[in-house]
Amino acid sequence: MKKIAVILSGCGYLDGSEIRESVLTLLALDTLKVKYDIFSLNEDQYHVVNHLTGNVQDNEKRNILEESARIARGKIEDLTKINVDNYSSLIIPGGFGVAKNLCSFAFDGINAKVNPIVLKIIHAFHSDKKPIGAICISPALIALSLGANKPSITLGNDKNLADEIEKTGVSHHKCHTADCIIDEKNKIVTTPAYMDDGINLADAYQGISKLVKAVIELS
C-alpha cells in the first residue's frame, strides 16, 4: 500500500499553510483511499499575522508544529522524525508559511535559503525517484531546492513571477487553477491553487485532485 508524506507549514495562509489547500489535499487522498502521515517543523514560525486585519503581531510567537496540528487534528509528527523509506511520495500544500517558515522566498526571492531539514528531505525524495507534489507557492520551494535538475513547474499565470523563478533553472508553465503540470522525468507535479486569490474552491479542488492522482500514478 502506497503511503504519502504531507508537510504543513503552520495554520493560516498569511503565516502558515493555506488551510483550504491543506484540507483539500487530505480530502483528495482520502477519496482515493491513500494512506498518509502529516509532518511539520518543530520551530517558531517567522512571525504571526492577524488574519482579520493582515497586521503582523510583533509580540506574539507561535510554533509551526503546534499550529499545523490544528489542521491535522493532532495527528502530526516532528519533521525530523520522518523516514523517507516509509513513503512513496511527498506533497506540500501552499500558504505563505512555505515561503516564510520552510524557506525565505517571501523575503529573499530566488536568493532565499531553504530550511536545512526541509532541503534534506526534498533531496531524499528526489534522489530516491519518489514523486513530489507542490501546491500554490510550494513550487518555489521546489525550484530553490531542485532547480539544478531543471524541473518543469507552475506558479500560475504571473509572468513576472515566472520570469524570476526560472532564474533558479526551472522551466515555468502557465496553468489554470483546475489543472496541474506534470514533470514525468523529475516526478514533480505542481498546481497553482490560491496563487490566484480570485479562484473558486471547486477549481482549487479539481487542480489539487489532479495533482494527487498524478503523484500516485508516478509512484
Side-chain angles (χ1 to χ4, degrees):
M1 179 68 70
K2 294 176 180 177
K3 197 173 190 181
I4 291 179
V6 178
I7 295 179
L8 298 183
S9 58
C11 182
Y13 80 104
L14 292 175
D15 57 10
S17 286
E18 214 294 331
I19 297 172
R20 295 180 178 185
E21 293 172 3
S22 301
V23 173
L24 292 179
T25 297
L26 302 182
L27 175 59
L29 289 167
D30 278 343
T31 300
L32 293 171
K33 302 186 185 307
V34 177
K35 293 184 177 180
Y36 58 84
D37 288 326
I38 306 173
F39 297 88
S40 189
L41 287 172
N42 187 11
E43 301 177 4
D44 283 342
Q45 59 189 56
Y46 179 82
H47 59 200
V48 177
V49 178
N50 181 321
H51 280 64
L52 182 61
T53 65
N55 295 329
V56 174
Q57 307 290 93
D58 291 323
N59 297 322
E60 187 172 349
K61 288 187 177 182
R62 295 190 185 183
N63 178 277
I64 305 168
L65 179 60
E66 292 175 2
E67 289 299 295
S68 299
R70 294 175 182 269
I71 299 173
R73 293 178 60 86
K75 295 181 179 179
I76 191 167
E77 291 286 344
D78 186 326
L79 190 55
T80 60
K81 296 181 180 179
I82 192 172
N83 183 345
V84 174
D85 293 340
N86 293 337
Y87 300 95
S88 62
S89 51
L90 171 68
I91 296 179
I92 309 174
F96 272 112
V98 174
K100 295 176 178 179
N101 301 330
L102 305 189
C103 68
S104 61
F105 183 74
F107 315 107
D108 303 321
I110 61 168
N111 296 314
K113 302 295 184 183
V114 178
N115 177 283
I117 297 170
V118 175
L119 184 63
K120 181 179 178 180
I121 290 165
I122 290 174
H123 280 171
F125 273 94
H126 188 259
S127 295
D128 288 350
K129 302 187 184 306
K130 295 180 177 181
I132 299 173
I135 299 164
C136 190
I137 196 63
S138 294
L141 174 66
I142 302 305
L144 293 169
S145 304
L146 300 173
N149 295 282
K150 303 187 182 303
S152 294
I153 67 161
T154 187
L155 286 167
N157 296 307
D158 187 317
K159 185 180 184 304
N160 290 332
L161 183 57
D163 289 345
E164 188 67 13
I165 203 67
E166 283 191 330
K167 294 176 183 177
T168 64
V170 302
S171 175
H172 185 275
H173 300 264
K174 289 184 178 180
C175 183
H176 186 268
T177 302
D179 209 347
C180 66
I181 297 298
I182 303 171
D183 180 341
E184 294 187 1
K185 179 181 178 181
N186 285 290
K187 293 192 173 184
I188 293 171
V189 188
T190 54
T191 190
Y194 280 96
M195 286 302 292
D196 178 359
D197 287 335
I199 67 167
N200 61 58
L201 199 59
D203 281 347
Y205 183 53
Q206 188 173 348
I208 290 171
S209 294
K210 287 180 179 179
L211 176 143
V212 169
K213 184 178 179 182
V215 165
I216 292 167
E217 290 175 347
L218 288 171
S219 299

